[in-house]
Amino acid sequence: MVREEPGRHGGGAAVSGEVTRRVLEIVATALGREPAELTADSGLPTGDWSSLQHLPVLLALAETFGFPLSPRVVQDLTTVRAMAHHVQITQTGHEVLPRPPQQRREMKETIDRLREVLAGANVAVLSSVRPDGRPQQFVVWAEMDGDDVLMSTTKDRPKYRNLEHRPEAALVVYPAGDPYSSVRVRGTTTFTTEGAAETIDRLSHHYKGKPWVEPTGLGERVTVRLTALEPGDD
């Protein structure tokens, strides 16, 4: 299999939306601009910053994400999209390969359908793997954030334990009363404590119509982000 070189990839690469947003924030800060002024296609070739600004931008990224700067990296990472692609590789240890056009269309259709179903108060089922290798499923609240799925849990729950041990997971959701219209995806999970209280409160308003009241005695709350989604039908 021919693997794509960092910075030389097509628009179909399944880079996490969260990674792209974080890269946009760092690049904008290094340039003294607002993230909203930039897009994934912004870069040196399109004149969004100068060659004099380019190295400070890369230094900020390298310091944040802990990857070395080589002449090849400096040469290749000239757009936000290429930078996000490189960051995802260095953070996950897995190359991100571009999908063929047909797969890209199918993935867009799947994510659009997932977004449509989750717009209603339809619960999802998250499939994970226990540390002992046995499967375990959880009924969860979920929402879309770009092309990622957000869920919530606490650090003392089996869901967190399973995903911390093995971040790969699958999700199925269907409209209430219509299980044969299910949408199935799989991807990789990450955790963040930042904004976790806001996430669970949004989910509570969406599913229950009222604010979330945190039960006493629970562990630290985290947001679970399912990224790099791909169809789960095969």
Side-chain angles (χ1 to χ4, degrees):
M1 176 183 296
V2 177
R3 293 201 175 271
E4 184 180 52
E5 296 171 347
R8 301 181 184 274
H9 56 90
V15 178
S16 159
E18 177 65 19
V19 170
T20 301
R21 280 188 290 275
R22 184 71 180 117
V23 169
L24 277 170
E25 291 173 356
I26 294 168
V27 171
T29 299
L31 296 172
R33 299 168 64 180
E34 294 296 324
E37 299 178 47
L38 304 172
T39 70
D41 294 317
S42 299
L44 184 62
T46 52
D48 293 285
W49 58 80
S50 69
S51 56
L52 291 177
Q53 295 172 305
H54 188 54
L55 187 56
V57 166
L58 291 179
L59 286 171
L61 285 171
E63 181 178 0
T64 301
F65 295 104
F67 62 81
L69 278 182
S70 66
R72 178 61 182 274
V73 169
V74 174
Q75 176 186 344
D76 285 348
L77 304 191
T78 59
T79 67
V80 171
R81 190 182 305 279
M83 292 170 183
H85 180 268
H86 186 75
V87 166
Q88 179 148 312
I89 295 169
T90 59
Q91 295 296 294
T92 65
H94 298 293
E95 176 62 285
V96 181
L97 298 175
R99 294 189 177 102
Q102 178 62 28
Q103 289 187 15
R104 293 203 298 271
R105 286 192 294 270
E106 291 174 355
M107 190 64 250
K108 183 180 184 305
E109 292 172 358
T110 298
I111 290 180
D112 288 346
R113 177 59 178 155
L114 183 64
R115 199 186 320 276
E116 177 185 343
V117 176
L118 287 178
N122 298 301
V123 296
V125 176
L126 178 71
S127 298
S128 63
V129 178
R130 291 164 47 99
D132 62 10
R134 291 185 293 168
Q136 189 169 20
Q137 296 180 314
F138 305 93
V139 175
V140 297
W141 292 346
E143 67 176 6
M144 297 297 295
D145 181 34
D147 289 345
D148 300 341
V149 179
L150 300 186
M151 296 159 283
S152 183
T153 191
T154 56
K155 290 187 176 181
D156 58 340
R157 305 295 292 174
K159 188 188 308 135
Y160 180 87
R161 175 200 63 202
N162 294 357
L163 297 175
E164 184 180 40
H165 174 74
R166 183 170 178 175
E168 296 85 0
L171 190 81
V172 59
V173 59
Y174 56 84
D178 189 9
Y180 296 107
S181 296
S182 64
V183 186
R184 295 174 294 278
V185 295
R186 56 177 176 261
T188 302
T189 56
T190 58
F191 302 105
T192 181
T193 56
E194 183 178 354
E198 290 78 6
T199 299
I200 187 61
D201 195 59
R202 283 196 312 273
L203 290 169
S204 182
H205 276 285
H206 182 65
Y207 282 95
K208 301 180 71 175
K210 59 184 180 181
W212 174 255
V213 178
E214 189 78 1
T216 58
L218 294 182
E220 184 178 18
R221 184 159 292 280
V222 298
T223 295
V224 182
R225 181 178 290 274
L226 185 66
T227 68
L229 300 183
E230 59 183 22
D233 293 330
D234 57 351

Tab-separated table of all heavy atoms in Angstrom, residues 191-226:
chain	number	residue	atom	x	y	z
A	191	PHE	N	-10.825	12.270	24.821
A	191	PHE	CA	-11.497	12.874	25.965
A	191	PHE	C	-11.005	14.309	26.164
A	191	PHE	O	-9.863	14.633	25.863
A	191	PHE	CB	-11.210	12.107	27.266
A	191	PHE	CG	-11.593	10.660	27.245
A	191	PHE	CD1	-10.627	9.683	27.138
A	191	PHE	CD2	-12.914	10.283	27.340
A	191	PHE	CE1	-10.963	8.346	27.133
A	191	PHE	CE2	-13.269	8.949	27.338
A	191	PHE	CZ	-12.292	7.978	27.232
A	192	THR	N	-11.896	15.134	26.715
A	192	THR	CA	-11.484	16.451	27.189
A	192	THR	C	-12.362	16.834	28.372
A	192	THR	O	-13.568	16.530	28.387
A	192	THR	CB	-11.583	17.514	26.081
A	192	THR	OG1	-11.143	18.779	26.608
A	192	THR	CG2	-13.010	17.672	25.577
A	193	THR	N	-11.752	17.474	29.357
A	193	THR	CA	-12.526	17.998	30.485
A	193	THR	C	-13.000	19.422	30.214
A	193	THR	O	-13.955	19.880	30.838
A	193	THR	CB	-11.677	17.990	31.769
A	193	THR	OG1	-10.470	18.745	31.549
A	193	THR	CG2	-11.296	16.571	32.173
A	194	GLU	N	-12.333	20.092	29.274
A	194	GLU	CA	-12.696	21.469	28.938
A	194	GLU	C	-14.080	21.507	28.304
A	194	GLU	O	-14.345	20.839	27.302
A	194	GLU	CB	-11.663	22.069	27.984
A	194	GLU	CG	-11.913	23.525	27.645
A	194	GLU	CD	-10.843	24.096	26.733
A	194	GLU	OE1	-9.861	23.385	26.456
A	194	GLU	OE2	-10.995	25.251	26.297
A	195	GLY	N	-14.986	22.276	28.890
A	195	GLY	CA	-16.335	22.393	28.356
A	195	GLY	C	-17.220	21.196	28.619
A	195	GLY	O	-18.321	21.112	28.055
A	196	ALA	N	-16.779	20.254	29.474
A	196	ALA	CA	-17.560	19.033	29.709
A	196	ALA	C	-18.907	19.336	30.363
A	196	ALA	O	-19.913	18.691	30.062
A	196	ALA	CB	-16.763	18.052	30.557
A	197	ALA	N	-18.935	20.311	31.272
A	197	ALA	CA	-20.193	20.662	31.932
A	197	ALA	C	-21.186	21.242	30.925
A	197	ALA	O	-22.393	20.952	30.986
A	197	ALA	CB	-19.929	21.669	33.056
A	198	GLU	N	-20.684	22.037	29.981
A	198	GLU	CA	-21.557	22.612	28.960
A	198	GLU	C	-22.094	21.533	28.018
A	198	GLU	O	-23.252	21.581	27.605
A	198	GLU	CB	-20.803	23.681	28.162
A	198	GLU	CG	-20.493	24.954	28.925
A	198	GLU	CD	-19.314	24.827	29.863
A	198	GLU	OE1	-18.645	23.762	29.849
A	198	GLU	OE2	-19.059	25.773	30.624
A	199	THR	N	-21.246	20.540	27.706
A	199	THR	CA	-21.691	19.463	26.820
A	199	THR	C	-22.850	18.686	27.427
A	199	THR	O	-23.886	18.467	26.773
A	199	THR	CB	-20.532	18.499	26.507
A	199	THR	OG1	-19.489	19.209	25.839
A	199	THR	CG2	-20.996	17.348	25.623
A	200	ILE	N	-22.697	18.254	28.673
A	200	ILE	CA	-23.759	17.455	29.288
A	200	ILE	C	-25.018	18.295	29.492
A	200	ILE	O	-26.144	17.781	29.386
A	200	ILE	CB	-23.295	16.823	30.627
A	200	ILE	CG1	-24.351	15.864	31.176
A	200	ILE	CG2	-22.944	17.884	31.638
A	200	ILE	CD1	-24.662	14.689	30.278
A	201	ASP	N	-24.863	19.600	29.715
A	201	ASP	CA	-26.037	20.450	29.881
A	201	ASP	C	-26.791	20.597	28.556
A	201	ASP	O	-28.028	20.539	28.528
A	201	ASP	CB	-25.622	21.823	30.407
A	201	ASP	CG	-26.810	22.607	30.945
A	201	ASP	OD1	-27.476	22.120	31.882
A	201	ASP	OD2	-27.098	23.703	30.409
A	202	ARG	N	-26.048	20.764	27.446
A	202	ARG	CA	-26.705	20.823	26.135
A	202	ARG	C	-27.448	19.526	25.843
A	202	ARG	O	-28.578	19.528	25.343
A	202	ARG	CB	-25.681	21.083	25.028
A	202	ARG	CG	-25.185	22.498	24.900
A	202	ARG	CD	-24.500	22.714	23.552
A	202	ARG	NE	-23.531	21.677	23.233
A	202	ARG	CZ	-22.258	21.695	23.608
A	202	ARG	NH1	-21.810	22.698	24.357
A	202	ARG	NH2	-21.428	20.724	23.261
A	203	LEU	N	-26.792	18.405	26.132
A	203	LEU	CA	-27.417	17.113	25.879
A	203	LEU	C	-28.677	16.938	26.721
A	203	LEU	O	-29.687	16.406	26.250
A	203	LEU	CB	-26.420	15.995	26.168
A	203	LEU	CG	-25.258	15.874	25.176
A	203	LEU	CD1	-24.194	14.913	25.707
A	203	LEU	CD2	-25.754	15.399	23.813
A	204	SER	N	-28.632	17.375	27.966
A	204	SER	CA	-29.798	17.257	28.838
A	204	SER	C	-30.962	18.102	28.322
A	204	SER	O	-32.115	17.650	28.298
A	204	SER	CB	-29.432	17.683	30.262
A	204	SER	OG	-30.539	17.530	31.137
A	205	HIS	N	-30.674	19.311	27.872
A	205	HIS	CA	-31.728	20.154	27.295
A	205	HIS	C	-32.311	19.492	26.044
A	205	HIS	O	-33.524	19.530	25.826
A	205	HIS	CB	-31.158	21.534	26.940
A	205	HIS	CG	-31.119	22.491	28.083
A	205	HIS	ND1	-32.250	23.116	28.582
A	205	HIS	CD2	-30.080	22.926	28.846
A	205	HIS	CE1	-31.913	23.898	29.589
A	205	HIS	NE2	-30.602	23.805	29.774
A	206	HIS	N	-31.429	18.889	25.239
A	206	HIS	CA	-31.888	18.275	23.983
A	206	HIS	C	-32.755	17.049	24.240
A	206	HIS	O	-33.792	16.866	23.590
A	206	HIS	CB	-30.669	17.883	23.141
A	206	HIS	CG	-31.016	17.286	21.812
A	206	HIS	ND1	-31.657	17.995	20.812
A	206	HIS	CD2	-30.826	16.033	21.302
A	206	HIS	CE1	-31.833	17.227	19.758
A	206	HIS	NE2	-31.345	16.031	20.025
A	207	TYR	N	-32.335	16.207	25.189
A	207	TYR	CA	-33.036	14.936	25.404
A	207	TYR	C	-34.136	15.011	26.462
A	207	TYR	O	-35.118	14.272	26.379
A	207	TYR	CB	-32.033	13.855	25.789
A	207	TYR	CG	-31.256	13.304	24.612
A	207	TYR	CD1	-30.008	13.815	24.274
A	207	TYR	CD2	-31.779	12.285	23.828
A	207	TYR	CE1	-29.296	13.321	23.195
A	207	TYR	CE2	-31.080	11.781	22.740
A	207	TYR	CZ	-29.836	12.313	22.428
A	207	TYR	OH	-29.140	11.821	21.351
A	208	LYS	N	-33.966	15.900	27.445
A	208	LYS	CA	-34.934	15.943	28.542
A	208	LYS	C	-35.652	17.279	28.653
A	208	LYS	O	-36.598	17.412	29.426
A	208	LYS	CB	-34.239	15.618	29.872
A	208	LYS	CG	-33.584	14.245	29.888
A	208	LYS	CD	-32.901	13.961	31.219
A	208	LYS	CE	-33.891	13.743	32.330
A	208	LYS	NZ	-33.239	13.340	33.605
A	209	GLY	N	-35.151	18.275	27.931
A	209	GLY	CA	-35.794	19.581	27.964
A	209	GLY	C	-35.545	20.373	29.215
A	209	GLY	O	-36.301	21.301	29.529
A	210	LYS	N	-34.493	20.050	29.956
A	210	LYS	CA	-34.194	20.783	31.188
A	210	LYS	C	-32.702	20.721	31.478
A	210	LYS	O	-31.986	19.875	30.927
A	210	LYS	CB	-34.976	20.187	32.351
A	210	LYS	CG	-34.710	18.719	32.623
A	210	LYS	CD	-35.616	18.210	33.745
A	210	LYS	CE	-35.380	16.738	34.051
A	210	LYS	NZ	-36.283	16.250	35.118
A	211	PRO	N	-32.212	21.621	32.336
A	211	PRO	CA	-30.776	21.650	32.638
A	211	PRO	C	-30.324	20.363	33.312
A	211	PRO	O	-31.102	19.652	33.950
A	211	PRO	CB	-30.624	22.857	33.587
A	211	PRO	CG	-31.866	23.659	33.389
A	211	PRO	CD	-32.940	22.702	33.027
A	212	TRP	N	-29.037	20.087	33.167
A	212	TRP	CA	-28.446	18.916	33.796
A	212	TRP	C	-28.105	19.220	35.250
A	212	TRP	O	-27.535	20.271	35.563
A	212	TRP	CB	-27.173	18.504	33.068
A	212	TRP	CG	-26.428	17.379	33.737
A	212	TRP	CD1	-25.278	17.464	34.464
A	212	TRP	CD2	-26.790	15.983	33.728
A	212	TRP	NE1	-24.884	16.222	34.907
A	212	TRP	CE2	-25.806	15.294	34.465
A	212	TRP	CE3	-27.848	15.273	33.165
A	212	TRP	CZ2	-25.849	13.921	34.654
A	212	TRP	CZ3	-27.891	13.906	33.358
A	212	TRP	CH2	-26.908	13.245	34.086
A	213	VAL	N	-28.489	18.321	36.137
A	213	VAL	CA	-28.117	18.411	37.554
A	213	VAL	C	-27.156	17.261	37.828
A	213	VAL	O	-27.544	16.087	37.767
A	213	VAL	CB	-29.354	18.330	38.470
A	213	VAL	CG1	-28.909	18.383	39.924
A	213	VAL	CG2	-30.332	19.455	38.140
A	214	GLU	N	-25.919	17.584	38.121
A	214	GLU	CA	-24.893	16.562	38.317
A	214	GLU	C	-25.130	15.795	39.621
A	214	GLU	O	-25.191	16.389	40.699
A	214	GLU	CB	-23.508	17.204	38.355
A	214	GLU	CG	-22.355	16.225	38.341
A	214	GLU	CD	-22.073	15.672	36.948
A	214	GLU	OE1	-22.760	16.050	35.972
A	214	GLU	OE2	-21.160	14.852	36.839
A	215	PRO	N	-25.303	14.474	39.562
A	215	PRO	CA	-25.459	13.690	40.794
A	215	PRO	C	-24.201	13.780	41.652
A	215	PRO	O	-23.087	13.959	41.140
A	215	PRO	CB	-25.679	12.262	40.280
A	215	PRO	CG	-26.122	12.422	38.861
A	215	PRO	CD	-25.412	13.644	38.356
A	216	THR	N	-24.364	13.658	42.938
A	216	THR	CA	-23.212	13.691	43.829
A	216	THR	C	-22.461	12.363	43.764
A	216	THR	O	-23.032	11.315	43.454
A	216	THR	CB	-23.657	13.943	45.282
A	216	THR	OG1	-24.578	12.916	45.681
A	216	THR	CG2	-24.339	15.302	45.402
A	217	GLY	N	-21.178	12.428	44.022
A	217	GLY	CA	-20.376	11.215	44.122
A	217	GLY	C	-19.808	10.706	42.825
A	217	GLY	O	-19.162	9.654	42.804
A	218	LEU	N	-20.043	11.414	41.702
A	218	LEU	CA	-19.490	10.968	40.435
A	218	LEU	C	-18.057	11.457	40.269
A	218	LEU	O	-17.632	12.416	40.905
A	218	LEU	CB	-20.338	11.475	39.264
A	218	LEU	CG	-21.761	10.934	39.137
A	218	LEU	CD1	-22.425	11.506	37.905
A	218	LEU	CD2	-21.777	9.410	39.105
A	219	GLY	N	-17.325	10.811	39.379
A	219	GLY	CA	-15.972	11.244	39.079
A	219	GLY	C	-15.976	12.487	38.201
A	219	GLY	O	-17.029	13.047	37.887
A	220	GLU	N	-14.791	12.911	37.795
A	220	GLU	CA	-14.668	14.100	36.959
A	220	GLU	C	-15.349	13.869	35.615
A	220	GLU	O	-15.165	12.844	34.974
A	220	GLU	CB	-13.196	14.433	36.741
A	220	GLU	CG	-12.960	15.709	35.963
A	220	GLU	CD	-11.488	16.033	35.796
A	220	GLU	OE1	-10.660	15.115	35.978
A	220	GLU	OE2	-11.166	17.193	35.487
A	221	ARG	N	-16.131	14.858	35.178
A	221	ARG	CA	-16.866	14.706	33.925
A	221	ARG	C	-15.982	15.041	32.737
A	221	ARG	O	-15.166	15.965	32.782
A	221	ARG	CB	-18.125	15.576	33.920
A	221	ARG	CG	-18.967	15.373	32.649
A	221	ARG	CD	-20.393	15.813	32.848
A	221	ARG	NE	-21.115	14.942	33.778
A	221	ARG	CZ	-21.629	13.770	33.467
A	221	ARG	NH1	-21.503	13.273	32.231
A	221	ARG	NH2	-22.276	13.070	34.368
A	222	VAL	N	-16.157	14.283	31.662
A	222	VAL	CA	-15.405	14.504	30.436
A	222	VAL	C	-16.355	14.441	29.245
A	222	VAL	O	-17.410	13.807	29.300
A	222	VAL	CB	-14.283	13.458	30.231
A	222	VAL	CG1	-13.256	13.538	31.350
A	222	VAL	CG2	-14.859	12.052	30.128
A	223	THR	N	-15.975	15.136	28.181
A	223	THR	CA	-16.650	14.991	26.902
A	223	THR	C	-15.926	13.928	26.095
A	223	THR	O	-14.697	13.921	26.028
A	223	THR	CB	-16.653	16.320	26.126
A	223	THR	OG1	-17.435	17.282	26.841
A	223	THR	CG2	-17.244	16.139	24.730
A	224	VAL	N	-16.684	13.024	25.505
A	224	VAL	CA	-16.131	11.991	24.629
A	224	VAL	C	-16.359	12.433	23.191
A	224	VAL	O	-17.497	12.720	22.808
A	224	VAL	CB	-16.812	10.623	24.868
A	224	VAL	CG1	-16.183	9.549	23.983
A	224	VAL	CG2	-16.757	10.244	26.334
A	225	ARG	N	-15.301	12.496	22.411
A	225	ARG	CA	-15.404	12.911	21.006
A	225	ARG	C	-15.059	11.720	20.119
A	225	ARG	O	-13.955	11.162	20.200
A	225	ARG	CB	-14.452	14.069	20.714
A	225	ARG	CG	-14.513	14.573	19.264
A	225	ARG	CD	-13.573	15.744	19.060
A	225	ARG	NE	-14.029	16.930	19.746
A	225	ARG	CZ	-14.887	17.818	19.257
A	225	ARG	NH1	-15.386	17.636	18.024
A	225	ARG	NH2	-15.249	18.870	19.957
A	226	LEU	N	-16.004	11.330	19.278
A	226	LEU	CA	-15.791	10.256	18.302
A	226	LEU	C	-15.428	10.911	16.970
A	226	LEU	O	-16.234	11.633	16.382
A	226	LEU	CB	-17.051	9.401	18.169
A	226	LEU	CG	-16.962	8.163	17.277
A	226	LEU	CD1	-16.007	7.137	17.862
A	226	LEU	CD2	-18.352	7.536	17.098
